[in-house]
Amino acid sequence: MRKLVIAIVMASIGAMPATAQVRTGYTAIAAGSLTEAERTLTRERAIFPQRPELMLNLAAVYARTDRSTEARALYADVLRAEPVALELADGTAESSHLLARRGLMRLDTTIAAR
């Protein structure tokens, strides 16, 4: 099972190995360094373009930096791929599709609230 942490469902940092935290942008997102997280995630996506945890975390960064169009595109990419069970920081597992749908719902809620 792949490790995943996205900004919208972050829990405890201790639940993931340090390498996974860095490669999925979790450490930078948790520290509030969205620029660093974006850089890390973009670099990792160049190597692993179809990994849903990278797309989900990058979409979360885009959403938090007011780039809803880009976030929406990444969530759609995740939904077009086969669903993958991803382990969250708190040790629970969720479907990549469920996480993408939640991200889209949050985008829609944010846009409606403006």
Side-chain angles (χ1 to χ4, degrees), residues 51-67:
R51 291 192 61 181
E53 62 272 28
L54 300 175
M55 288 187 272
L56 289 165
N57 283 354
L58 187 55
V61 169
Y62 287 160
R64 290 178 62 181
T65 55
D66 296 322
R67 293 181 280 172

Side-chain angles (χ1 to χ4, degrees), residues 6 8-9 56 59-60 63 68 71-76 79 94 96-114:
I6 60 175
I8 58 177
V9 292
L56 289 165
S68 60
R72 192 174 304 284
L74 284 172
Y75 289 133
L79 291 171
E94 294 281 352
S96 56
H97 282 194
L98 178 62
L99 295 169
R101 283 198 235 35
R102 282 185 192 154
L104 285 169
M105 286 183 357
R106 280 188 167 80
L107 283 176
D108 293 338
T109 301
T110 302
I111 291 170
R114 289 185 184 173

